[in-house]
Amino acid sequence: MAPPRMALVNAARRGAPGRIRIIAGSLRNSRLDVADVPGLRPTAERLRETLFNWLAPSIEGARVLDLCAGTGALGIEALSRGAASVQFVEREARVARAIEQNLARLKQTGGAVAALDAQVFLRGTARQYDLVLLDPPFALGLWDALAQQLEQGGWLSTAAWIYVESPRAPTPALPANWRLQRESHAGDARGALYRRG
C-alpha cells in the first residue's frame, strides 16, 4: 500500500535545503541543497550509511546508475566513496537541475544527469552498470517494471549489485536471479541489497 500523501509531504519537509549531508569519503560532511518539491523523499541517513558500509569493498571504481535519483544523495555518496561514475536519472526537471548544481558546486565531474522518466531512460541504448540504486517514488509502485527493464535490457554487469528501497510490505517482485544479500529498515522504508547471480 502506498503511504498517504501527507507522509510524503512531511518527508519532503524533513529533506529541506541544507539538511542532507554526505556521510563519508572525499565529500564527507558536505551539504546537499534539496529542491522544495512535494513528494521528494530523501533516503534516511541511517539507510545510506548502512548501504555504503555493505558496499565498502565494491564501490571503488564502480559504474553506478542512480534511477529515480531524487535528491541525488545516494549517487553523490557513491562518488564520495570512490565510484568511477554515476548516471543520475530524475524525471522532475527542477530536481534534476538541483542535482546538477550540487555536482558542480562539489566539483564532481564523474556525475551526469538525465532529466528523464526512468522507464523512458531504460528504453534507450543500454550501458552496463556495477551498481544500480533503485528507489522510485513509493506512490508509483514502479519496482517490478523497472527491475524487469534493468534485467532484460542489458543494463547490469554479470555480478551487479542492486539496492532497492521500498515500503516494508509488500516486498517487490524482482527477477529470480537477484539474490538478497542484506536488508535494513528505517521507519516505513526497507533498504535491501541484491546481487545478480
Side-chain angles (χ1 to χ4, degrees), residues 5 25 27 32 40 51 60 64 73 75 85 88 90 98 138 174 178 181 186 196:
R5 178 173 173 75
L27 301 174
L32 301 182
L40 191 60
L51 168 64
E60 186 75 32
V64 180
S85 63
F88 298 85
E90 172 51 52
F138 282 11
L174 303 174
W178 291 15
Q181 305 295 306
R196 189 171 185 246

Side-chain angles (χ1 to χ4, degrees), residues 2 26-27 42 45 65 75 77 80 86 95 99 101-102 133 143 150 159 163 167 179 184-185 189:
S26 63
L27 301 174
E45 186 170 302
L65 175 60
E77 189 82 48
S80 179
V86 178
V95 180
I99 298 171
Q101 290 163 359
N102 281 321
L133 304 165
W143 296 275
L150 285 165
Y163 170 72
R179 309 291 172 80
S184 185
H185 300 91

Side-chain angles (χ1 to χ4, degrees), residues 9-21 30-38 40 42 71 94-95 98 101-102 105:
V9 172
N10 287 339
R13 288 180 181 144
R14 284 196 298 273
R19 293 292 178 88
I20 294 185
R21 73 179 181 96
S30 297
R31 300 286 172 168
L32 301 182
D33 295 327
V34 179
D36 184 13
V37 175
L40 191 60
T71 64
R94 200 150 57 102
V95 180
Q101 290 163 359
N102 281 321
R105 181 172 52 81

Side-chain angles (χ1 to χ4, degrees), residues 86-136:
V86 178
Q87 174 65 63
F88 298 85
V89 180
E90 172 51 52
R91 69 178 186 160
E92 294 286 345
R94 200 150 57 102
V95 180
R97 277 196 305 275
I99 298 171
E100 289 176 335
Q101 290 163 359
N102 281 321
L103 290 170
R105 181 172 52 81
L106 296 172
K107 299 179 172 57
Q108 295 302 298
T109 58
V113 182
L116 284 174
D117 178 85
Q119 291 179 292
V120 172
F121 178 85
L122 293 177
R123 288 198 285 269
T125 302
R127 174 186 169 194
Q128 289 196 339
Y129 292 94
D130 306 306
L131 168 63
V132 174
L133 304 165
L134 182 56
D135 181 16

